[in-house]
Amino acid sequence: MRARRLALAAGASTLAIVLAACGSSGGKKSPSSTNANNNNSSSSSSSNNNNNTTSAGFNAAVDKIVNPSTKTGGTLHLGATADCDSFDPKISYYGWCLNMQRLYTRKLVDYKVVNGTKFQLAPDLATDLGQHNADFTKWTYTLKAGLKWENGTPITAKDVKYGVERDYAAAEIPGGPFSYMQNDLKAPKTYRGPYKDGDLPDTSIKVSGNTITFFLKKPDPDFNYILALPCSAPVPDKVENGSFKGSTYTKHPMSSGPYKFQSYQPGKALTLVRNTQWSQSTDDIRHPLVDSITLSIDTNPVDLDNKLESGQFDANAAGGAGGITPAFKTKLLTSPDLKKQVDDPASAASQYLPVMQTVITNVHCRRAIFYATNKASILNVYGGDTSGAIAGSMTPPGLPGYQTTKDYDPYSAGSNQTGDLAKAKSELQACGQPSGFTVNFAYPTPSNFAPKVFAVEKSALARVGIKLNPVTDDASTYYNTFIGSPSNIIKKKIGMGLAGWGADFPTNVGYYNAIANGSAIVDPGNSNYVSLNDPLVNHALDGGAKSEADWQAVNHKIMDDAVYVPLYWSKTLYYRNPRMTNVTCNNALAFGIYDFVNIGVNK
C-alpha cells in the first residue's frame, strides 16, 4: 500500500497521518428534485450497515447510523484541500478516494457493513461471494441480470475481465493497488495489459456468458477482499468511455453505481448526479438518497474548516487530511453542541517503532527498548487521545485476533504508559549490557512530528542508559531506499526507526503481509523493515491461519520476537453537518470517513 503507507508513516507532514492526500471538488449545484425512477429510489436507509441507529452524539457514527431517514432529494456538499489521486478505479488508492468510488463504481463483491469493527462483504454485481475449489486457487462468479452502465449498455463478464487486465497497464495508467491481483492471478509474466497485449488467456481469466472464473497461482482465501478493491471493478471492454480512455478515463469513468459524473474540473470541482440506469433491485449495498453530490477543492485548511462550521460544506471528503486544524479541533471538542457532531474512530492502522534485529541482534536488548519507551508522551506529540489509542500489540482494531491493550500488553509501559524502567533494566542485564548501549534512530525529514518523537524517545531511553543518535533521510526516499533497504540498515547501523502502516483491506493478510512476511523482504523497496522471517508468521500469512486463535498467535509471536514497538492505533477526527442523515463511518477501507453513498440531507 505504497500511497497510504506514505500517508501513515511517522506523521511526515501532517497530523492526519492516515489520509494524506485529499480530493476533488464541487461544481454547479444540481436541482433537488426527487429522482422519478422508482427503480432508483431507496427502499431502506440502513440495511447496508449495523442495525443500530441513534441521534447525534460524540462518536455515535463509529458503530451506529446517525439520524436514520428515508427522505430523498437534495444535494450533499463535500470539501477537500486537494484533488483525488485518481477517479479511475484502477489507480484510485487513497482511503478517501476508495470511499468516493462507492458512489459510482460497483464490483463483483463489496462491503455491506462498513462501520464498527465487524465488517461484512456481500455480493454486489455477482449473485454470491463466489465458488472456489478446495485450495482457493480457482474462483467463479456469475453476474446478476439487469446490470447496466450509465449509457444503458449491459455490464458483462468481459467488462470485469477487462477491468482486471487494466491492472497490468503500468505504462498507460500507472499506480494503484494493482499488485494484489498481479501477485495472485496466474498470468503470463510478460503480460503488459490490454493496450499492448490484448486479452489475458483463458488460463488466467475465463469468461463464459455471464460467468467469470479466476485462476490463481497460489491459494488465497482473501480473494474476495481483492475483488472488493476498485482496481478489480469492471470497465467497458475495449471501449472504456469513448474518448475518455486510458490516462484520461479518470476524467469521466463510466458509472455502474447510483451516481455518475456530470462535470469534473481536475483540481477544482466535481459534480455527481443520479445514474438513471442503476437499479436498486440489483443492489443490496447502496441505498442512495440525495439527487446530487458536489465536491469542492479549497486548498486553505482553515477556510475549509470555516465552511464546515458554517454549513457550506457537509463534510470533509478526505477526512482529517488538510482539515480539522488544531484551532478547529479544540473548538469541536470544547463546545457541547459541536462535539456531538464529531467522530474519532480508530482504524486498522498503527504507528510503531521498528527495531532492527539485523543490527540489535539480542532479543533482550530489543525488549529493553520496548519497556523503556514512553508511549504516553509520544502520543501527545501527535495530538493526544483524539489521534490514537495506545497500543499494547501490533494487531489493530477491526482485524481478527485484535486484543485491547487492557487484555494483551506484553511489554506494558506501566499504568500511565510512560515506561517500566525496572523491567527495562532487567532486560539490559539479560542482554549483557547493564549500563545500556548506543542506537542509531532513523526518521524522515522534513516532518512536523518526527524530530519531536525522536526527542521524546531519546529522553525515555536515556533513563536506562540507552543512547540514541539521529540518522535522517528525505521523506521522499526514507521508506523506499533508507529504512526500506536491508543493506542500508546494516551499512548505516540503523537500530530503530519511525514508521506506520494501515491495512489495504480488513484482514490480517491485508495488514501484515508486507510488514511481517519473510517472502516480502526485498532490497530496496522493502516494507518489512525489521527483516522479520519467522516460520510461524510466514506460514499463517501464506494461508496457514484459519481461526481467530491462529491470528492471535501471530500477533503474540511477532511481539515475542520484539521487532515492532507498537505505539498507538490511529484515530482521525471527523465533523458531520447536523443536516446529514444515515451517517456512519466507513471503517472498512476509508479509515472512518463517512460512507457518503448512503447519506441523505434533511433540508
Side-chain angles (χ1 to χ4, degrees):
M1 53 172 275
R2 179 84 46 180
R4 285 194 284 169
R5 179 188 70 190
L6 296 179
L8 274 164
S13 61
T14 172
L15 181 60
I17 58 175
V18 177
L19 301 159
C22 306
S24 222
S25 72
K28 299 177 182 179
K29 296 180 181 178
S30 298
S32 297
S33 58
T34 301
N35 195 304
N37 186 339
N38 289 333
N39 284 336
N40 290 309
S41 64
S42 174
S43 60
S44 169
S45 63
S46 61
S47 64
N48 68 317
N49 283 293
N50 296 334
N51 291 325
N52 294 332
T53 59
T54 186
S55 56
F58 179 67
N59 267 345
V62 170
D63 58 359
K64 297 180 177 62
I65 298 171
V66 176
N67 299 331
S69 175
T70 58
K71 181 180 180 297
T72 59
T75 299
L76 179 68
H77 300 292
L78 306 176
T81 56
D83 207 348
C84 204
D85 59 338
S86 178
F87 289 103
D88 185 328
K90 185 270 180 183
I91 301 173
S92 183
Y93 204 6
Y94 294 141
W96 78 273
C97 298
L98 299 184
N99 193 41
M100 293 295 292
Q101 289 279 340
R102 283 169 64 87
L103 297 166
Y104 60 90
T105 301
R106 296 180 67 181
K107 298 85 120 181
L108 288 175
V109 299
D110 206 339
Y111 294 91
K112 186 173 184 178
V113 174
V114 296
N115 59 10
T117 58
K118 300 295 183 182
F119 314 121
Q120 179 184 334
L121 286 175
D124 188 3
L125 296 174
T127 56
D128 56 29
L129 290 175
Q131 304 298 316
H132 60 79
N133 59 358
D135 68 353
F136 298 96
T137 59
K138 178 181 176 182
W139 291 77
T140 299
Y141 301 83
T142 300
L143 269 64
K144 296 173 182 174
L147 301 170
K148 294 182 180 180
W149 292 107
E150 65 176 77
N151 62 3
T153 60
I155 298 173
T156 69
K158 286 186 177 180
D159 297 335
V160 177
K161 181 179 181 181
Y162 184 71
V164 171
E165 289 168 341
R166 292 176 84 246
D167 283 353
Y168 292 80
E172 295 82 4
I173 42 176
F178 58 86
S179 62
Y180 287 107
M181 186 62 75
Q182 287 193 12
N183 289 340
D184 264 12
L185 197 63
K186 188 186 294 183
K189 291 182 179 180
T190 58
Y191 184 67
R192 298 171 296 171
Y195 307 113
K196 284 185 169 69
D197 294 338
D199 296 340
L200 278 168
D202 285 353
T203 52
S204 302
I205 303 177
K206 184 176 182 179
V207 170
S208 178
N210 64 346
T211 297
I212 184 168
T213 300
F214 299 88
F215 299 94
L216 311 185
K217 55 190 173 187
K218 61 181 181 179
D220 189 356
D222 284 343
F223 189 63
N224 273 325
Y225 287 100
I226 296 174
L227 291 182
L229 290 170
C231 62
S232 299
V235 172
D237 183 34
K238 308 294 189 299
V239 299
E240 299 184 24
N241 193 6
S243 60
F244 299 106
K245 189 173 184 179
S247 63
T248 64
Y249 190 64
T250 182
K251 295 181 179 180
H252 192 141
M254 185 74 81
S255 174
S256 54
Y259 296 96
K260 64 181 181 180
F261 279 42
Q262 181 185 67
S263 62
Y264 175 41
Q265 298 170 277
K268 296 180 180 180
L270 170 69
T271 297
L272 300 170
V273 296
R274 290 297 290 267
N275 171 17
T276 57
Q277 297 299 322
W278 171 86
S279 173
Q280 182 70 76
S281 63
T282 69
D283 195 337
D284 295 326
I285 290 170
R286 301 161 193 80
H287 299 273
L289 295 177
V290 297
D291 293 331
S292 58
I293 299 169
T294 65
L295 183 60
S296 302
I297 298 295
D298 189 328
T299 58
N300 185 334
V302 174
D303 191 38
L304 190 150
D305 286 347
N306 289 337
K307 290 176 181 177
L308 282 173
E309 185 177 2
S310 69
Q312 186 173 343
F313 289 158
D314 293 310
N316 183 342
I324 312 298
T325 57
F328 188 42
K329 182 177 182 179
T330 298
K331 190 171 186 178
L332 289 174
L333 296 175
T334 56
S335 167
D337 286 341
L338 291 174
K339 186 175 181 179
K340 66 183 181 181
Q341 305 300 336
V342 171
D343 297 287
D344 190 29
S347 57
S350 303
Q351 196 77 10
Y352 52 85
L353 304 176
V355 182
M356 315 307 185
Q357 60 179 342
T358 54
V359 174
I360 306 176
T361 57
N362 189 298
V363 68
H364 294 288
C365 289
R366 299 198 298 272
R367 288 172 180 169
I369 292 171
F370 278 63
Y371 281 119
T373 295
N374 187 334
K375 295 183 181 181
S377 291
I378 290 177
L379 180 58
N380 284 336
V381 169
Y382 289 101
D385 292 343
T386 58
S387 295
I390 286 178
S393 61
M394 281 297 288
T395 300
L399 299 186
Y402 161 73
Q403 293 175 280
T404 66
T405 300
K406 180 180 178 181
D407 292 333
Y408 180 62
D409 187 6
Y411 305 102
S412 175
S415 58
N416 57 5
Q417 294 294 343
T418 59
D420 189 327
L421 303 188
K423 288 185 178 179
K425 291 176 181 178
S426 177
E427 291 292 345
L428 286 174
Q429 289 283 350
C431 84
Q433 301 284 347
S435 299
F437 51 90
T438 299
V439 181
N440 288 337
F441 185 105
Y443 61 85
T445 58
S447 169
N448 293 333
F449 305 105
K452 298 176 183 177
V453 173
F454 169 76
V456 168
E457 185 70 353
K458 180 178 180 179
S459 177
L461 299 193
R463 296 176 297 177
V464 296
I466 301 174
K467 301 175 181 64
L468 294 188
N469 293 325
V471 287
T472 65
D473 189 55
D474 187 88
S476 64
T477 54
Y478 174 78
Y479 304 102
N480 190 45
T481 60
F482 199 65
I483 66 169
S485 168
S487 59
N488 188 63
I489 284 173
I490 294 173
K491 178 181 178 181
K492 290 187 167 57
K493 298 181 180 179
I494 299 171
M496 296 177 61
L498 190 56
W501 197 260
D504 277 336
F505 43 88
T507 75
N508 285 280
V509 172
Y511 175 73
Y512 274 124
N513 197 64
I515 66 172
N517 196 332
S519 65
I521 299 171
V522 295
D523 193 350
N526 186 39
S527 297
N528 185 349
Y529 309 125
V530 299
S531 293
L532 182 63
N533 194 12
D534 187 295
L536 185 149
V537 176
N538 294 345
H539 175 70
L541 292 172
D542 291 337
K546 306 296 184 184
S547 67
E548 183 112 356
D550 290 341
W551 289 118
Q552 278 194 6
V554 168
N555 186 28
H556 293 189
K557 190 65 174 70
I558 291 173
M559 295 306 298
D560 288 344
D561 290 332
V563 290
Y564 291 123
V565 180
L567 298 174
Y568 63 85
W569 296 307
S570 303
K571 298 165 65 178
T572 308
L573 207 69
Y574 305 110
Y575 174 76
R576 44 183 149 81
N577 190 320
R579 83 183 191 115
M580 292 197 300
T581 63
N582 298 323
V583 187
T584 199
C585 292
N586 185 343
N587 301 324
L589 78 166
F591 303 113
I593 298 174
Y594 301 121
D595 188 28
F596 297 122
V597 72
N598 294 310
I599 285 178
V601 294
N602 59 20
K603 61 180 178 179

